[in-house]
Amino acid sequence: MSGLRVVRVGPLATIQDLGRPGWFDSGVGTAGAADRASLRLANRLVGNPEGAAGIEVLLGGLELLADQHVTVAVTGAPAPVTVDDRPMGAASVLEIEEGQRLRLGIADTGLRTYVAVRGGIEVAPVLGSRSRDTLSGIGPDPLHPGDLLPVGKPPRTLPIVDVAPVPALGNELLTVRAVPGPRADWFTDATALFAGEWTISPDTDRIGARLDRRSGPALRRSVPSELPTEGMALGSVQVPPSGQPVVFLADHPITGGYPVIAVVADADVDCVAQARPGQALRFRKVD
């Protein structure tokens, strides 16, 4: 079997597609790429269907050896990309020959980089998806040195661009749109979420981005009791007793008992997934 062999892994690298919807009634979440737009773009660049499985890389540090000719694209957090130590452009189509090495350095901004290969990573699907769910442990294991990643049959469509123009990710203040949540009335003043600024906590992963208050009033509960368990959606802003909101990301639990004060607009969830610890964030209320 030939494909891509894992030589080195940084903090974390997992196989992800667009997830496994439709299993909530069995207690299984959707999972999938934390930054869906970046995975979709990488797949479009190499001519794959948008939902083909690729590699999600936390911060960078991945090295792959090609056991065959492959066409790849790297998107998301701008980790420096080299092929056999030759610098390559971000969000560009790369032709890698057998025996060559693709290396990702450490990204200066953003959190997650995506590697798509023409034909997709063809590991065995679980419940219809090749995604790793880090909360439940469902799906292929995180990558380790020595792993061989099989590449699927190339699609008939061909890449039509060499480079995609994408806006640069920065470390400046991130403005996130959100609508009031179903339990906003559990707080003395739910508008406090939208006042002042928050920062991304180091206690952040694929399950959720925990926030620390940077400026502005604290969130205070008006209802002292806890909720019965209820459903949780992607982008839900849940507030535990500590008062530190958590924005639920790709591997979020499907139920929870803490009140949801707001829900992040779907288009902005990908931005939260790319925010790294210490970055400032502000919520903007929308209808």
Side-chain angles (χ1 to χ4, degrees):
M1 180 185 297
S2 59
L4 288 169
R5 190 169 300 278
V6 179
V7 177
R8 184 168 58 93
V9 177
L12 179 68
T14 57
I15 304 299
Q16 300 292 342
D17 53 24
L18 293 181
R20 51 179 65 83
W23 293 95
F24 273 23
D25 58 351
S26 299
V28 178
T30 302
D35 178 355
R36 298 156 295 173
S38 289
L39 178 65
R40 289 187 174 111
L41 174 60
N43 276 320
R44 291 200 304 270
L45 284 170
V46 297
N48 285 342
E50 289 188 344
I55 306 172
E56 180 181 281
V57 185
L58 181 65
L59 289 176
L62 181 70
E63 181 177 337
L64 302 172
L65 172 66
D67 284 355
Q68 65 182 71
H69 172 267
V70 290
T71 302
V72 305
V74 182
T75 59
V81 180
T82 62
V83 175
D84 281 356
D85 297 324
R86 288 182 292 112
M88 298 292 169
S92 59
V93 178
L94 309 177
E95 302 293 343
I96 302 177
E97 303 301 330
E98 180 180 351
Q100 291 187 317
R101 294 174 185 249
L102 173 72
R103 295 184 179 93
L104 303 185
I106 302 300
D108 290 330
T109 59
L111 200 59
R112 295 176 170 93
T113 301
Y114 292 83
V115 180
V117 56
R118 183 169 169 78
I121 304 296
E122 203 169 60
V123 295
V126 178
L127 299 179
S129 170
R130 295 180 168 90
S131 286
R132 174 67 175 185
D133 186 330
T134 60
L135 179 63
S136 68
I138 292 175
D141 289 337
L143 302 190
H144 294 91
D147 289 348
L148 181 62
L149 307 179
V151 176
K153 183 178 179 181
R156 293 183 177 180
T157 55
L158 294 173
I160 57 174
V161 297
D162 294 325
V163 179
V166 293
L169 291 175
N171 291 321
E172 67 275 3
L173 175 67
L174 177 64
T175 299
V176 174
R177 295 167 295 172
V179 297
R183 302 299 177 184
D185 58 352
W186 276 51
F187 297 84
T188 56
D189 182 10
T191 62
L193 179 75
F194 302 93
E197 297 175 3
W198 304 86
T199 57
I200 303 294
S201 164
D203 186 14
T204 291
D205 54 22
R206 281 181 46 84
I207 297 170
R210 188 177 299 276
L211 307 179
D212 296 324
R213 175 57 93 177
R214 185 182 189 187
S215 65
L219 292 175
R220 302 189 186 280
R221 292 261 295 267
S222 58
V223 179
S225 60
E226 297 299 340
L227 284 164
T229 297
E230 58 185 5
M232 291 290 148
L234 179 69
S236 294
V237 184
Q238 188 187 64
V239 184
S242 67
Q244 293 176 279
V246 179
V247 181
F248 279 148
L249 301 178
D251 290 351
H252 69 87
I254 64 173
T255 61
Y258 297 136
V260 173
I261 191 172
V263 180
V264 172
D266 185 73
D268 289 353
V269 172
D270 292 346
C271 299
V272 178
Q274 286 290 5
R276 58 170 58 192
Q279 185 166 358
L281 179 148
R282 176 177 57 205
F283 289 102
R284 180 164 65 87
K285 186 177 178 181
V286 296
D287 294 331

